[in-house]
Amino acid sequence: MLQKFQPGYRTYSDDFLFYFNSYYEGFGARIERPKRGTRSRPTVAETKQYRAHIDEQMSRFIEDVSSRDDAEAILKIVRLGLEHEMQHQELLVYDIKHLLCDQFDAPMKAAPRSVEDVSGMVEIEGGLFELGYGSGVSVPP
């Protein structure tokens, strides 16, 4: 985004472009798929510095984008990028859950049986409340 739409933007690090581009050939050189994970990555501290730099640059860029003729197109790309990053976070959560699931051999209890049939809509006042199994309500066997 910054390279394409921010005149005068200088890349933070060519190495970082390479390290963090495992897929998009249009962004330049990348690690080949079969070799993913075979190269050392930057340290956590270096990655945090990089992210801080990019976050600052993107924040400034987005603040000023509304004055541009191509603002709508740029904001669509920004939105797409944010959605893509959220997918990465979802996958990370799935991986963590999968890893934790495989760590334990917890006995599985049967889900409680419903004691009555309920249909229709229910209005619930806002606020914090407990709902469902495990909420402290005793369900007969």
Side-chain angles (χ1 to χ4, degrees):
M1 285 294 303
L2 294 169
Q3 286 177 320
K4 183 172 182 175
F5 294 106
Q6 184 70 13
Y9 176 76
R10 290 179 35 195
T11 300
Y12 180 84
S13 164
D14 288 337
D15 287 341
F16 277 57
L17 288 179
F18 180 76
Y19 289 136
F20 295 122
N21 179 20
S22 62
Y23 189 78
Y24 299 103
E25 293 177 8
F27 289 156
R30 65 177 178 81
I31 297 173
E32 298 171 34
R33 284 190 187 139
K35 294 183 179 178
R36 287 183 188 172
T38 61
R39 290 191 68 164
S40 294
R41 300 286 200 253
T43 65
V44 170
E46 291 169 332
T47 302
K48 286 173 66 176
Q49 288 173 341
Y50 168 69
R51 280 302 312 251
H53 171 81
I54 297 299
D55 289 350
E56 158 119 17
Q57 295 295 315
M58 283 300 296
S59 292
R60 276 200 233 146
F61 176 69
I62 291 169
E63 284 174 9
D64 297 336
V65 80
S66 62
S67 63
R68 297 174 58 128
D69 293 339
D70 55 355
E72 187 176 340
I74 289 173
L75 291 175
K76 284 181 181 180
I77 296 169
V78 169
R79 173 70 187 266
L80 180 64
L82 291 172
E83 296 289 344
H84 179 85
E85 291 307 313
M86 284 188 273
Q87 288 177 335
H88 285 289
Q89 293 187 14
E90 289 172 2
L91 291 171
L92 182 59
V93 169
Y94 295 152
D95 286 346
I96 291 169
K97 288 174 73 173
H98 183 262
L99 287 170
L100 291 174
C101 171
D102 288 347
Q103 296 297 316
F104 304 101
D105 189 20
M108 297 292 290
K109 295 180 184 176
R113 292 189 321 263
S114 177
V115 294
E116 61 182 278
D117 290 331
V118 179
S119 63
M121 299 293 288
V122 175
E123 187 172 325
I124 300 174
E125 189 175 322
L128 297 176
F129 58 90
E130 291 187 21
L131 177 70
Y133 180 66
S135 64
V137 176
S138 174
V139 178

